[in-house]
Amino acid sequence: MKLYHSPTSPYVRKVMVLLHETGQLPDVEISSVAGTPLSPADPLLGKNPLTKIPALERADGPTLFDSRVICAFLDTRVQAGLYPDGSRRWEVLTLEALADGILDAALLMTYEGRLRPEDMQWDSWTDAQWSKIARACAALNQRWMAHLSGPLDMGQIAVGCALGYLDLRHGVRGWRTGNEALAEWYSTFESRPSMEATRPPG
Ligand SMILES: N[C@@H](CCC(=O)N[C@@H](CS)C(=O)NCC(=O)O)C(=O)O
């Protein structure tokens, strides 16, 4: 299998953490790509029409995207149980969706600041994206701490990668303020070997 990869992509990081945690790293060749909506990465054309990473090329089937599909596939491949059965499964999927929603809003903010010409940038729109992130962090802090403290699952990995991306690109916004329980959980979670091995370059 070949994983289209960038070390700063938090969606790719979800897949990489899963590969580390489930011992599948040797099964995957890493292929580095760099692209933005304005300059799509050539190697992705023909693999993922959306030209987004992660994408996972397989010998025995079509290329998989997006991160949630790839993570579910790799989890099933080795029966890792990061998407458990029963009622907890729906919690895990909802938690992963919440974390990915944080990432979607944070990436839009990043693109707005980096790709859009300065005189066309719209602060109210950027602040509205941050409001989504702030609400999501508050929800994690108020309602999800028991789940986050339970056995490792894909929801936790996604939240860890989302908070890591906030530190990487939007640290000045201070997501930890008012979210002390979440901050404490993250300080332990980010020291997992899988998280340390995938820490994005500063
Ligand atoms: N929902 C997708 C989002 C993937 C995504 O937006 N990846 C970014 C890199 S962090 C990308 O490839 N951007 C290029 C583009 O939007 O054209 C997933 O979970 O994989």
Side-chain angles (χ1 to χ4, degrees):
M1 295 180 288
K2 186 195 273 190
L3 179 67
Y4 291 93
H5 175 280
S6 157
T8 53
S9 166
Y11 304 97
V12 170
R13 190 179 189 193
K14 288 171 58 189
V15 176
M16 292 300 293
V17 171
L18 178 148
L19 289 171
H20 276 271
E21 294 283 354
T22 60
Q24 296 184 80
L25 213 48
D27 303 343
V28 175
E29 176 195 341
I30 303 294
S31 177
S32 295
V33 289
T36 72
L38 293 181
S39 55
D42 284 344
L44 284 174
L45 294 167
K47 308 287 179 199
N48 176 357
L50 305 173
T51 57
K52 293 186 182 188
I53 52 171
L56 184 72
E57 205 176 304
R58 299 177 296 160
D60 55 350
T63 299
L64 297 179
F65 51 87
D66 57 9
S67 62
R68 271 186 259 186
V69 176
I70 296 170
C71 289
F73 170 79
L74 292 170
D75 180 73
T76 301
R77 184 172 179 261
V78 296
Q79 299 293 306
L82 293 173
Y83 295 93
D85 291 329
S87 61
R88 194 171 166 92
R89 179 179 191 82
W90 308 115
E91 284 185 29
V92 170
L93 290 171
T94 303
L95 189 56
E96 186 176 12
L98 186 60
D100 284 5
I102 290 175
L103 284 180
D104 294 343
L107 188 63
L108 287 175
M109 290 171 67
T110 303
Y111 284 158
E112 178 80 5
R114 293 189 163 197
L115 300 182
R116 195 182 289 274
E118 215 168 321
D119 61 337
M120 295 171 70
Q121 290 177 16
W122 186 13
D123 289 346
S124 305
W125 188 89
T126 305
D127 290 345
Q129 296 304 323
W130 182 257
S131 296
K132 289 176 190 284
I133 295 169
R135 286 195 300 270
C137 287
L140 288 168
N141 189 67
Q142 286 158 21
R143 297 204 292 275
W144 286 94
M145 291 320 301
H147 183 115
L148 287 172
S149 306
L152 182 70
D153 61 36
M154 200 53 220
Q156 294 172 12
I157 293 173
V159 170
C161 294
L163 297 177
Y165 186 73
L166 295 183
D167 280 347
L168 179 71
R169 297 287 189 234
H170 305 294
V172 290
R173 297 257 182 180
W175 67 264
R176 287 174 178 77
T177 306
N179 297 313
E180 281 72 23
L182 182 63
E184 195 181 326
W185 171 83
Y186 180 65
S187 71
T188 304
F189 193 82
E190 71 169 340
S191 66
R192 292 182 80 88
S194 61
M195 289 291 285
E196 292 200 338
T198 58
R199 197 181 300 286

